[in-house]
Amino acid sequence: MVLTGGKPTPTGHATGGTGPARSRERFLQGEPVEAGVRTSILSSWQRSRSLGLSPNQADLPFRDDFDRDARIVRAAVPVLDRLQARFAGSKMNISVADASGTVLLRRFGEASLARSLPAFQRVPGFVFAERVAGTNGIGLALAERQLIRVHGAEHFAERSQRSACRALPVRDPLSGRIEGVLCFGYPSSTEDPELAITIRKAAQAIERRLLRQSSARERALLRAYLDTGAATSAGLHHTVGVDELALELHPRDRAVLTEKAAELISRGQRAAAVVSLFDGRRVTLVSRPMRSGSGVEGVAIEAVLPGPAPREPLAVPTQVDVPPGSSGRLAVVTAVPPPRFVPAAAAPGRLSVATLSRNLPDVAHGPFGTVDRVDVADDHPDAPSRTRGLVMVGEPRVGTYALAARRRLELLSEASARIGTTLDVRRTAQELAETAVPRLADFVTIDLPEAVLRGEESADPRTDLHRTVVHGISDDLPFSPVGKQVDFGPTTPQIRCLTSGQAVLEPDLKAAAGWLAQDPEHTERLLTEVHSLIAVPLVARGVILGIASFYRAQDPAPFGDDDRSLGLELASRAALSIDNARRYTRERTMVLTLQRSLLPHDLPDQDAVEIAHRYLPAESDVGGDWYDVIPLSGTRIGLFVGDVVGHGMLSAATMGQLRTAARSFAELDFPPDEVLTHLDNLVGRLDREEPAAGAGVIGATCLYAVYDPTSQQCTMARAGHPPPALVRPDGTVSFPDLPAGPPLGLGGLPFESAEIHLPEGSRLLLYTDGLIEDRQRDVDVVLDQLRGALAHPEQTPEQTCQTVLETVAPAHPCDDIALLVARTHALDPRRIAAWDLPADPARVSEVRAAALRQLADWGLDETAFAAELMLSELVTNAIRHGAGPIRVRLLHGRTLICEVSDASNTAPHLRRAASTDEGGRGLFLVAQLAQSWGTRYLPEGKVIWAECGLDAA
């Protein structure tokens, strides 16, 4: 066999139990064959089986009423004649089929081949559509809409096992629609890689001839218009075209005029439209139906401008598109057709546009002879003076395509602005659906894997799809509801689009067997509404994100290739936005997990205050807001709330370091102003030692309050943080005027504390600035709202938190919100015992005796022995090493606390006494008997305290 220059390559039937023959046998027996068969072939096999086709079926449908003079036939005959000459002497079978799969033309490289082949391979009229013939070249090319190759046992039917073929769809360059299929058939024992190049060139030649047919029709329409204008030109006004005003027209005006002209052509009837220009002027576009001498019906669009005619005559211009063999130039501009495989939605308008220029000669020469200047009269003789000129001429069908292409480009432009406005996966998917309805589809469903919704990648998207969006022109169709898991069968368009990575078009859902079998319960009702489907995979950066399904219902015309290309482009753009949202969701989840892990999980048990808290992350990103509750000595409680500047992982990590340090400084019993000083030094050191590239200076704000239930005094200090809100028992709300203090990290500036008396039952609200600061709201207004929300003394801390978040917090917070509400309690005075004594060792026994009596009154006889020993050691230590006066205090709360204070600032140190030492064992004994012990410094002096469990022996 002699082909196009390449050496024939034997590619016969598979041997050794492998290859397409073996795979086909396994498939027919119901065994899995995904690893051994190309995706397109396997999908076609599955569709063939779902249609109920038999591989042994020998007969094909035959039509004798096919159009033997169709456009595709006229364009293909000369090309097939050249191919026949090229493949002379070979066993090549060349055929052309129409868009329904019916073979219209046959050519053979060897004349005897036509006599030896069965009828379906040599006689025009047989139908090779996949739905009736199974997997074959013509049928698969129509289904896949691209160049395909089917070899030997890859055919579904037994009748074609010995053949191989390559087939390629042929498109109308004007509309982008498939007009037919060019197919090369040859014995399966030979193969030539250069056939792919040959068939592409041949298909392009046919398409050029299709374009030439359309261009001739347009030229005929223009000739009819010019002939009409020349016949009526006497005494009439001059002509002007849109491009005559190009220098003074805004680009938007030119686009509006062109689009309106295309719309008028698509209507195909006499009409007029007034177009308002950017500068306030108005142009009237008039459409004139006409017919050429050859019977071509079309429409001419003229622009009518008010005012007197220009003094200088305007001439019909020359043209750049000259048909072969013409000696002159034609007064029309024909847009260059798009290259192959470019969707019509992205191609320029294909209408003939006439442009006029003042600088052209008075006479223009064209293929139809010499044409004088064209002056067209107004419709009425008495009409005011107007200037009229040709804008466009074309056929209504072509105008419809051009208008549709422009609107598709507008939809893509709008999609760029509407899709991806947030970093939320579900919202982005919803935006895709809202953009597509109703301009592309009437209904859209979007299915995403649960893993993608969480911000992860799905291991197997086909088994993890959940209905995420259902959107359409109505809400009463029985699509699977949002949230439900959807399981698509292997032959459904949705799974086929995931497998192939390409959009799958089902023009007629009533014939889509795989789709019909998917959901029998709802299919019958759906088919009364929808009739056409495009299933598009959502893929970005190599990650499969889900499926978008576009359904058409109201428009009786089915989806076409242009719609499929548009749907694919929309889905591709949306997929990038969904992937960005997915990646952001993953990062945000990680930061939020870190943030929450660094916040307190369980608040400590204590009797000083009743606590409630909330943490609300920002919608856009997670910040460094935090809070903490720290039990302190003497039944006191420490309350923290803070905010690290910035967002993201760095802020969360810095927050964790700051909270840990704050807890440590607080547990050392430093007063609030000193705790802030230590934190200020820490933040400054972090900023110097761990600079983050591009993150700026580390900073933070903080508020620290210490409440003492024995005195009901609260000491507070703040570092650049909003002041707390104080709600007194009578419902009065105030914001204490605390010394502001600089934010943490500035260094060198002092912090000051303030002391406030809090009656029992008061509520103290600590919060971060995300609660009250918002670009859309005034701070004073928000503080008034906060006053109103807090002015309910009967509310519990939990109720207060909920009320504040519902009424004061912004609906879409752009910053984190940390909230801490504490309702104060007072320690019963009957549970407090205190004695003052001089620095005299003889008085120690009196204090021990009084303490024992008090413990007996409290019913703590079992704790008395340990308490007596601890108290004796602490008092003796204060008398020997401290300075008077000395004060002893017992506190009966959850535990028993023994406190001894003196006027000295010297702190005792715990040490292990050697066996030969006479002293040094007092604090060691206290540490063994107490749950905890420590030293708290006062403005003058110190307090040594020890805490004993009430169950101690």
Side-chain angles (χ1 to χ4, degrees):
M1 176 178 177
V2 181
L3 293 180
T4 59
K7 182 178 180 180
T9 304
T11 56
H13 291 287
T15 59
T18 62
R22 177 54 180 161
S23 297
R24 178 174 171 276
E25 292 176 5
R26 293 173 57 197
F27 173 82
L28 294 176
Q29 294 173 4
E31 300 177 13
V33 295
E34 285 79 2
V37 183
R38 287 183 290 141
T39 301
S40 60
I41 299 298
L42 179 58
S43 299
S44 181
W45 285 356
Q46 292 171 338
R47 293 193 298 269
S48 300
R49 185 166 60 182
S50 66
L51 290 167
L53 299 179
S54 170
N56 298 320
Q57 180 180 347
D59 297 330
L60 288 177
F62 179 81
R63 295 179 51 195
D64 58 359
D65 60 341
F66 63 90
D67 187 359
R68 291 173 170 80
D69 193 35
R71 293 181 66 230
I72 185 69
V73 173
R74 297 197 304 271
V77 165
V79 178
L80 262 63
D81 290 341
R82 291 196 296 270
L83 288 173
Q84 184 178 23
R86 184 169 190 171
F87 292 107
S90 69
K91 297 185 179 298
M92 179 65 71
N93 183 351
I94 308 166
S95 59
V96 170
D98 62 15
S100 66
T102 303
V103 174
L104 307 178
L105 293 171
R106 289 278 190 189
R107 294 289 189 275
F108 304 94
E110 189 174 287
S112 61
L113 188 62
R115 296 188 295 270
S116 62
L117 293 175
F120 72 90
Q121 289 183 323
R122 58 183 173 84
V123 179
F126 284 91
V127 180
F128 284 81
E130 187 185 67
R131 67 178 184 276
V132 294
T135 307
N136 70 90
I138 294 174
L140 190 54
L142 288 173
E144 297 288 336
R145 287 169 165 76
Q146 60 183 337
L147 176 64
I148 59 93
R149 179 178 67 89
V150 182
H151 180 272
E154 290 179 337
H155 289 87
F156 184 80
E158 296 286 350
R159 61 177 175 268
S160 302
Q161 297 294 295
R162 298 181 178 275
S163 302
C165 62
R166 290 181 185 267
L168 178 64
V170 177
R171 300 172 184 267
D172 183 346
L174 281 176
S175 67
R177 297 181 180 274
I178 292 177
E179 287 286 331
V181 177
L182 175 62
C183 182
F184 289 176
Y186 45 92
S188 60
S189 59
T190 55
E191 180 64 73
D192 186 358
E194 290 189 16
L195 280 179
I197 301 174
T198 303
I199 196 171
R200 287 187 187 278
K201 291 182 177 179
Q204 289 172 359
I206 298 174
E207 289 173 350
R208 286 194 298 270
R209 293 184 58 82
L210 286 171
L211 176 63
R212 190 174 303 172
Q213 293 178 22
S214 298
S215 298
R217 296 165 68 88
E218 291 178 357
R219 289 195 293 270
L221 289 174
L222 183 61
R223 178 180 181 178
Y225 175 81
L226 296 178
D227 290 345
T228 302
T232 58
S233 61
L236 300 181
H237 300 296
H238 303 284
T239 62
V240 63
V242 174
D243 284 0
E244 173 67 17
L245 305 174
L247 295 179
E248 48 185 300
L249 276 182
H250 191 278
R252 188 181 68 179
D253 290 335
R254 293 199 299 271
V256 170
L257 286 172
T258 304
E259 179 180 1
K260 180 56 69 174
E263 181 179 347
L264 290 174
I265 288 179
S266 68
R267 295 179 183 176
Q269 59 187 3
R270 180 179 292 272
V274 178
V275 181
S276 298
L277 301 183
F278 184 71
D279 57 3
R281 289 182 296 167
R282 295 157 68 89
V283 175
T284 301
L285 296 181
V286 179
S287 62
R288 295 179 179 275
M290 59 185 181
R291 180 190 295 269
S292 70
S294 60
V296 178
E297 295 184 353
V299 177
I301 306 297
E302 297 172 326
V304 180
L305 298 119
R311 297 178 182 177
E312 188 175 343
L314 304 176
V316 178
T318 56
Q319 165 41 34
V320 298
D321 183 15
V322 180
S326 62
S327 58
R329 292 177 294 179
L330 179 65
V332 58
V333 174
T334 303
V336 178
R340 282 183 51 78
F341 306 115
V342 175
R350 302 179 184 88
L351 296 178
S352 299
V353 181
T355 61
L356 300 176
S357 171
R358 297 177 184 270
N359 300 321
L360 294 173
D362 290 346
V363 178
H365 299 279
F368 310 111
T370 300
V371 182
D372 294 330
R373 291 192 305 271
V374 180
D375 296 324
V376 183
D378 291 301
D379 292 341
H380 302 284
D382 299 331
S385 176
R386 294 172 180 263
T387 302
R388 181 189 298 263
L390 180 63
V391 177
M392 275 188 184
V393 60
E395 298 177 67
R397 181 175 62 90
V398 179
T400 302
Y401 294 152
L403 183 62
R406 181 177 295 276
R407 289 177 175 172
R408 285 168 180 146
L409 288 174
E410 292 175 351
L411 179 58
L412 290 176
S413 177
E414 180 182 335
S416 300
R418 291 187 60 181
I419 300 176
T421 59
T422 67
L423 287 171
D424 181 83
V425 173
R426 287 182 172 85
R427 180 57 197 158
T428 303
Q430 182 70 30
E431 289 169 346
L432 168 60
E434 292 173 353
T435 302
V437 175
R439 297 171 66 178
L440 172 62
D442 296 315
F443 296 94
V444 176
T445 63
I446 299 178
D447 307 307
L448 303 178
E450 185 67 27
V452 171
L453 297 174
R454 297 194 304 266
E456 305 168 2
E457 295 183 14
S458 177
D460 187 1
R462 293 175 295 183
T463 60
D464 187 31
L465 290 170
H466 288 71
R467 182 58 46 87
T468 306
V469 172
V470 177
H471 183 70
I473 57 177
S474 64
D475 300 327
D476 57 349
L477 288 190
F479 291 106
S480 297
V482 172
K484 181 180 179 180
Q485 183 171 357
V486 289
D487 297 318
F488 293 110
T491 61
T492 57
Q494 286 82 358
I495 293 300
R496 285 160 46 201
C497 80
L498 277 186
T499 304
S500 64
Q502 298 294 324
V504 173
L505 170 61
E506 289 289 356
D508 184 5
L509 284 177
K510 293 182 179 179
W515 184 81
L516 294 173
Q518 170 63 28
D519 191 358
E521 178 183 355
H522 298 148
T523 295
E524 183 176 354
R525 183 184 172 192
L526 275 175
L527 284 179
T528 63
E529 300 286 344
V530 300
H531 59 79
S532 190
L533 164 67
I534 300 174
V536 186
L538 297 172
V539 182
R541 302 181 181 95
V543 178
I544 298 177
L545 303 173
I547 302 170
S549 301
F550 304 92
Y551 295 88
R552 177 165 287 179
Q554 289 189 336
D555 190 343
F559 283 126
D561 284 336
D562 288 347
D563 300 311
R564 183 181 68 158
S565 300
L566 179 59
L568 183 60
E569 180 65 23
L570 282 176
S572 298
R573 298 189 183 194
L576 285 174
S577 297
I578 291 175
D579 191 49
N580 289 338
R582 178 192 67 83
R583 291 152 69 97
Y584 167 77
T585 300
R586 180 185 61 189
E587 296 297 330
R588 185 176 186 272
T589 301
M590 293 172 58
V591 175
L592 186 57
T593 301
L594 174 63
Q595 168 86 346
R596 293 192 182 279
S597 68
L598 296 174
L599 291 174
H601 297 287
D602 297 311
L603 296 182
D605 294 331
Q606 42 78 39
D607 296 324
V609 291
E610 182 183 350
I611 293 290
H613 58 89
R614 294 289 190 278
Y615 170 73
L616 183 65
E619 280 193 350
S620 59
D621 206 348
V622 179
D625 291 18
W626 60 283
Y627 60 87
D628 207 349
V629 178
I630 305 170
L632 302 175
S633 63
T635 68
R636 298 173 306 138
I637 196 74
L639 305 175
F640 269 111
V641 67
D643 183 4
V644 176
V645 174
H647 297 85
M649 191 74 72
L650 175 64
S651 296
T654 304
M655 179 274 289
Q657 293 177 291
L658 198 60
R659 176 177 170 256
T660 301
R663 173 174 283 271
S664 300
F665 295 144
E667 289 179 342
L668 290 174
D669 269 328
F670 291 141
D673 55 335
E674 291 188 26
V675 169
L676 295 184
T677 300
H678 288 296
L679 292 177
D680 180 58
N681 294 333
L682 172 65
V683 172
R685 187 166 61 253
L686 290 175
D687 192 46
R688 292 190 301 270
E689 295 177 355
E690 303 178 12
V697 178
I698 297 176
T701 65
C702 184
L703 172 64
Y704 180 38
V706 176
Y707 172 69
D708 188 346
T710 64
S711 63
Q712 301 177 43
Q713 293 295 113
C714 183
T715 305
M716 293 182 280
R718 64 188 179 117
H721 202 84
L726 174 60
V727 186
R728 298 190 179 274
D730 61 357
T732 303
V733 181
S734 63
F735 297 92
D737 186 15
L738 303 180
L744 301 177
L746 295 183
L749 298 176
F751 298 96
E752 299 181 35
S753 297
E755 194 170 90
I756 301 174
H757 180 75
L758 300 182
E760 184 175 11
S762 299
R763 283 175 293 159
L764 193 63
L765 177 71
L766 283 67
Y767 54 89
T768 56
D769 57 3
L771 178 67
I772 61 173
E773 294 184 4
D774 184 30
R775 297 177 182 176
Q776 310 298 327
R777 304 184 300 171
D778 183 81
V779 174
D780 293 334
V781 175
V782 177
L783 291 178
D784 289 340
Q785 293 177 345
L786 184 58
R787 284 190 180 93
L790 295 176
H792 301 281
E794 74 283 356
Q795 286 185 341
T796 65
E798 283 290 340
Q799 292 171 334
T800 300
C801 280
Q802 193 64 29
T803 301
V804 168
L805 289 182
E806 290 176 353
T807 60
V808 181
H812 304 284
C814 58
D815 194 9
D816 291 19
I817 297 175
L819 194 62
L820 191 66
V821 178
R823 182 163 63 184
T824 62
H825 298 298
L827 188 61
D828 191 341
R830 292 173 298 180
R831 289 175 172 263
I832 304 174
W835 301 274
D836 294 319
L837 66 155
D840 183 1
R843 303 291 297 275
V844 175
S845 59
E846 297 178 9
V847 173
R848 287 204 308 265
L852 288 175
R853 288 193 298 272
Q854 184 62 62
L855 293 176
D857 291 342
W858 286 342
L860 302 179
D861 295 325
E862 295 182 356
T863 314
F865 176 73
E868 181 184 10
L869 287 178
M870 289 190 298
L871 191 61
S872 178
E873 292 295 335
L874 293 178
V875 172
T876 302
N877 203 31
I879 293 174
R880 288 184 177 180
H881 305 288
I886 298 173
R887 182 177 178 81
V888 177
R889 189 171 69 160
L890 296 180
L891 302 176
H892 179 203
R894 289 176 178 266
T895 60
L896 177 65
I897 301 173
C898 302
E899 294 183 345
V900 177
S901 60
D902 64 85
S904 171
N905 288 325
T906 303
H909 297 283
L910 177 66
R911 66 184 182 88
R912 293 182 177 274
S915 58
T916 56
D917 291 342
E918 295 183 359
R921 294 180 175 84
L923 284 181
F924 180 77
L925 179 62
V926 170
Q928 295 298 312
L929 294 174
Q931 287 184 171
S932 59
W933 72 280
T935 302
R936 178 172 76 250
Y937 289 93
L938 303 175
E940 295 181 0
K942 65 178 182 297
V943 176
I944 303 176
W945 57 271
E947 185 174 341
C948 181
L950 297 183
D951 56 348

